[in-house]
């Protein structure tokens, strides 16, 4: 499930950058499709993350922080795209996105479930 979780957020980040790059210029239908597909991946990230959580016998504070940071990342992706499409400023949200991503990936890698390859 760790692989599915990582695949989900890596694809989501790629879709996010594609959607951002398509925002320049006129509003297009294809940009909306990429954005909607990205929203589907938010669900996949949350579902795979929740399955990882269900497998735990107890949930420590670090896990609570990991989940909150993950949701923070998703929130920032959405804010940047929605505000960008309205022509509003996104600088504050880009800053938060970088901090949230670093925190989430750090906590994800530090927490013990790992890849469970063996
Ligand atoms: C875009 C947002 C997210 C990113 C970038 C992200 C990133 C990561 C990374 C890098 C790992 C470590 C994988 C490994 O062990 O090798 C991980 C694990 C995990 N993530 Fe996420 N995640 C995100 C969202 C979420 C959400 C929303 C949830 C909860 C619903 C969640 C729950 C978990 C859990 C429970 C683990 C297992 C931690 C462990 O190894 O013990 N994640 N995530």
């Amino acid at each position: 499930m760790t692989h599915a979780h990582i695949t989900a957020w890596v694809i989501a980040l790629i879709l996010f950058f594609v959607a951002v790059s398509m925002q320049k210029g006129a509003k297009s239908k294809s940009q909306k499709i990429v954005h909607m597909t990205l929203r589907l991946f938010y669900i996949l990230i949350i579902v795979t993350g929740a399955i990882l959580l269900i497998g735990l016998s107890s949930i420590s504070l670090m896990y609570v922080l990991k989940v909150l940071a993950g949701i923070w990342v998703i929130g920032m992706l959405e804010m940047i795209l929605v505000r960008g499409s309205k022509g509003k400023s996104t600088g504050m949200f880009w800053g938060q996105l970088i901090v949230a991503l670093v925190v989430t990936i750090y906590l994800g890698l530090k927490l013990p479930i790992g890849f469970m390859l063996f």
Side-chain angles (χ1 to χ4, degrees):
M1 196 42 69
T2 309
H3 289 105
H5 186 62
I6 294 174
T7 309
W9 66 256
V10 169
I11 294 176
L13 285 184
I14 295 169
L15 287 172
F16 168 73
F17 285 109
V18 172
V20 168
S21 67
M22 288 168 85
Q23 245 173 12
K24 294 168 190 120
K27 278 184 190 170
S28 66
K29 202 175 174 184
S30 43
Q31 198 272 347
K32 277 198 179 125
I33 295 171
V34 176
H35 193 171
M36 288 313 288
T37 316
L38 173 61
R39 287 183 173 141
L40 182 74
F41 274 85
Y42 297 157
I43 297 172
L44 291 177
I45 295 169
I46 294 169
V47 168
T48 51
I51 293 172
L52 285 167
L53 283 177
I54 290 166
L56 294 169
S57 52
S58 69
I59 294 173
S60 64
L61 179 65
M62 287 288 267
Y63 275 99
V64 176
L65 293 177
K66 167 70 182 68
V67 172
L68 290 178
I71 292 168
W72 185 20
V73 173
I74 295 175
M76 290 309 102
L77 299 179
E78 196 53 23
M79 286 302 276
I80 290 169
L81 283 175
V82 171
R83 286 182 66 95
S85 72
K86 291 179 183 163
K88 292 185 182 169
S89 66
T90 51
M92 276 282 289
F93 298 97
W94 278 103
Q96 284 189 57
L97 174 64
I98 291 163
V99 176
L101 252 185
V102 170
V103 172
T104 311
I105 294 175
Y106 172 78
L107 285 175
L109 294 176
K110 200 176 148 70
L111 285 166
I113 296 179
F115 279 103
M116 291 188 287
L117 287 177
F118 302 104

